[in-house]
Amino acid sequence: MALGRAFSVAVRGLSGVLVEIEAHITSGLPGVHLVGLPDAALQESRDRVRAAITNCCNSWPMSRLTLALSPATLPKMGSVYDLAIASAVLSAQRKSSWARLEKTVLLGELALDGRVRAVKGVLPAVLAAKRDGWPTVVVPADNLAEASLVEGIDVLGVHTLGQLRSWLSGKAQLAERISAPPATPEDTLDLADVIGQSHARYAVEVAAAGAHHLMLTGPPGVGKTMLAQRLPGLLPPLSHEEALEVTAIHSVAGLLSGDTPLITRPPFVAPHPTSSVAALVGGGSGFARPGAVSRAHRGVLFLDECAEIGVSALEALRTPLEDGEIRLARRDGVARYPARFQLVMAANPCPCAPADPRDCICGGSVKRRYLGKLSGPLMDRVDLRVEMHPVKAGAFGVEAGESTGQVRERVAAARAAAEERWRPHGIRTNAEVSGALLRREFRLSPSAMAPVRTALDRGLLSIRGMDRTLRVAWTLSDLGGLTSPGRDEVTTALSFRQGGGG
Ligand SMILES: Nc1ncnc2c1ncn2[C@@H]1O[C@H](COP(=O)(O)OP(=O)(O)O)[C@@H](O)[C@H]1O
Ligand SMILES: [Mg+2]
Ligand SMILES: [Zn+2]
């Protein structure tokens, strides 16, 4: 048969679309013609496929070969179609098509010698194949653990093009699905390692319980980074669906570990302060890579030294903070990535950043300007602000603080209480509650509200600030096992809002 057909998947954002690849051999001068395949990456694909077929099967057609990919409007970046293109060509050279080829989705890049190389985005591609009812998907052997995360479809792993050809003709077996691929191990950072800083430790616990964004300020070496790194350990594990979604993002970013692909814990992502906008929110030339905000999806985005971050990068964070997703326009369409993260920011109080604040040489206006650029829409979303101070010698030798395990239990109980309360309103955490709902249906007693009223009267608090204070007060109440916040919880919440130290 002079016409061969094979199937692969194009992934844009996290959604996959089936792609049909046709290879047509006709008489004429030897040469390869690409139809609807203008991309440079596919020109390279053609060259790899030709070398791989020549080297492993010794059968490159000596006449005119036309290759077509459809639909024609799909993203054609990357090398994931190599295996399907090669199979279509091999099939076109045979007298009859392989029955297996008609029922199989093929993913994988070819090396020149015919080895099959791992590719990015296997998880979303396999999910798409399953959704469209395909019975079988063949992936690079190095991606088999990742592909095995998807149930309800046969997944097979292949090492070489020759092996694939033998399997297509029913002469060989391929590696079968890896049952229950192990999840990524838990990180070992424990809250018990943090000496002193009881107020900041509590703020991290509150942030975990209510999903509030958090800002830590203080001189270098007081433990800001240390605390931020311990927040994910306090959060509940991801549900199976969340784990698949987070894993799919990391798959597309090419960041999955081969043997332990499934990400079951909230990720922690700490971009460098001088990261480009594209590194932060996604993009890059050609293929739209997910950025730090998407890799932090369902986890923690830690912006260390956030006063050093450029204004355009800070500005770019607004959309994902508001929408929980990022849309990247490309020539071949829009790639969407989820980006719902918990923000933790850390900063020195001033640019000279002495270890002892008494040694500061900055003038008042320099100091104000330093953190001033963070104000506005970004800081407005940060419910918890904590000023940290150097640990006094007296803090050493006293009993160690609670461990991550102990605090995590309280966080889980508080989250359960919040979930129960907000369920009728379709939300799960205190950080998501709208001010209107709080004011309409969850009014606090006049005595509980007194500290807020005073702050409002003195012009220290906006209505928006009040809403944020009340959200935190609900979290404090949940952590304390109360049915609703009283005056103490509101007072403490107010001090968190205003950045008071402990
Ligand atoms: N409160 C603390 N408890 C225990 N170790 C601390 C504390 N603060 C700082 N350290 C030590 O100092 C190092 C630097 O702390 P780090 O969290 O990076 O400070 P910061 O981010 O505030 O500059 C840590 O790796 C840790 O060894
Ligand atoms: Mg630090
Ligand atoms: Zn200074």
Side-chain angles (χ1 to χ4, degrees):
M1 190 175 93
L3 185 68
R5 215 158 55 126
F7 301 90
S8 193
V9 176
V11 173
R12 181 192 281 140
L14 293 189
S15 46
V17 179
L18 259 289
V19 176
E20 182 180 333
I21 291 146
E22 287 173 300
H24 195 199
I25 299 171
T26 47
S27 56
L29 288 177
V32 182
H33 303 269
L34 304 175
V35 178
L37 316 171
D39 218 286
L42 274 168
Q43 309 277 350
E44 289 173 17
S45 179
R46 171 191 64 184
D47 296 341
R48 278 194 305 273
V49 167
R50 175 160 42 196
I53 289 185
T54 309
N55 285 324
C56 92
C57 312
N58 197 19
S59 65
W60 189 254
M62 290 310 291
S63 52
R64 185 187 163 93
L65 170 65
T66 306
L67 288 172
L69 253 79
S70 62
T73 53
L74 288 170
K76 305 206 181 58
M77 295 297 300
S79 47
V80 64
Y81 312 124
D82 285 5
L83 215 50
I85 294 175
S87 303
V89 172
L90 290 173
S91 166
Q93 291 181 288
R94 286 164 45 87
K95 297 281 170 283
S96 65
S97 172
W98 288 297
R100 276 181 170 167
L101 192 56
E102 292 286 315
K103 296 195 197 110
T104 304
V105 167
L106 298 161
L107 309 169
E109 174 178 331
L110 283 168
L112 301 183
D113 62 0
R115 271 175 304 125
V116 179
R117 289 204 172 119
V119 288
K120 297 173 186 174
V122 164
L123 177 58
V126 175
L127 284 169
K130 178 196 159 179
R131 176 202 63 207
D132 290 0
W134 287 78
T136 309
V137 57
V138 172
V139 303
D142 288 342
N143 292 124
L144 187 56
E146 178 185 346
S148 301
L149 297 175
V150 184
E151 310 271 350
I153 181 168
D154 285 342
V155 297
L156 299 168
V158 65
H159 290 277
T160 65
L161 181 58
Q163 198 187 10
L164 179 68
R165 190 170 72 158
S166 303
W167 176 78
L168 286 170
S169 24
K171 292 185 203 138
Q173 300 290 314
L174 295 181
E176 307 245 337
R177 106 174 7 252
I178 296 170
S179 57
T184 40
E186 258 192 60
D187 70 35
T188 50
L189 300 175
D190 200 290
L191 210 51
D193 304 335
V194 181
I195 299 166
Q197 305 297 13
S198 53
H199 187 64
R201 283 176 57 116
Y202 187 47
V204 173
E205 175 177 342
V206 175
H212 305 284
H213 301 316
L214 168 70
M215 164 103 168
L216 304 168
T217 53
V222 291
K224 301 184 295 294
T225 302
M226 234 184 145
L227 275 169
Q229 288 168 334
R230 282 157 179 78
L231 173 57
L234 298 178
L235 299 173
L238 303 176
S239 70
H240 184 67
E241 252 167 53
E242 289 170 339
L244 279 182
E245 190 184 28
V246 170
T247 304
I249 294 168
H250 289 247
S251 164
V252 170
L255 295 170
L256 283 190
S257 121
D259 340 313
T260 58
L262 187 63
I263 298 171
T264 54
R265 297 282 321 157
F268 180 82
V269 178
H272 195 268
T274 61
S275 296
S276 66
V277 170
L280 215 51
V281 300
S285 60
F287 172 69
R289 272 178 67 88
V293 295
S294 295
R295 285 185 279 117
H297 180 59
R298 306 269 177 222
V300 174
L301 182 73
F302 178 46
L303 299 181
D304 203 359
E305 312 294 349
C306 62
E308 308 289 338
I309 298 173
V311 175
S312 55
L314 289 174
E315 192 65 22
L317 289 171
R318 281 175 62 177
T319 316
L321 274 171
E322 263 159 45
D323 303 346
E325 80 164 5
I326 206 92
R327 289 172 294 276
L328 302 164
R330 279 292 171 277
R331 199 182 35 183
D332 53 23
V334 176
R336 295 160 166 266
Y337 292 110
R340 199 171 291 287
F341 52 85
Q342 192 168 354
L343 184 63
V344 179
M345 304 203 284
N348 296 305
C350 72
C352 86
D356 184 336
R358 283 171 300 192
D359 299 334
C360 174
I361 53 164
C362 306
S365 68
V366 173
K367 262 181 151 167
R368 270 194 301 282
R369 234 179 305 133
Y370 189 63
L371 291 181
K373 76 170 178 196
L374 296 173
S375 64
L378 195 59
M379 276 311 282
D380 236 21
R381 300 180 171 277
V382 178
D383 292 349
L384 294 165
R385 297 174 202 183
V386 179
E387 215 175 283
M388 292 173 69
H389 306 286
V391 176
K392 300 256 166 37
F396 295 88
V398 301
E399 228 176 297
E402 287 174 302
S403 68
T404 290
Q406 287 170 302
V407 177
R408 186 159 55 195
E409 270 177 36
R410 270 202 305 275
V411 167
R415 280 189 167 242
E419 233 177 297
E420 173 90 31
R421 175 172 59 247
W422 306 126
R423 187 171 299 127
H425 304 278
I427 46 183
R428 292 171 62 187
T429 60
N430 294 334
E432 297 166 88
V433 185
S434 75
L437 181 62
L438 282 176
R439 276 174 265 136
R440 214 175 43 233
E441 289 183 44
F442 291 88
R443 295 172 81 102
L444 306 187
S445 70
S447 83
M449 285 299 282
V452 164
R453 280 184 196 287
T454 312
L456 279 172
D457 285 345
R458 290 200 192 140
L460 298 172
L461 198 64
S462 62
I463 292 288
R464 194 170 168 142
M466 176 180 82
D467 293 341
R468 301 207 153 251
T469 302
L470 294 179
R471 278 193 274 270
V472 172
W474 277 101
T475 304
L476 298 173
S477 154
D478 291 336
L479 279 170
L482 308 176
T483 48
S484 80
R487 193 184 176 114
D488 286 353
E489 286 69 38
V490 172
T491 306
T492 308
L494 208 50
S495 81
F496 274 130
R497 172 86 196 150
Q498 290 159 347

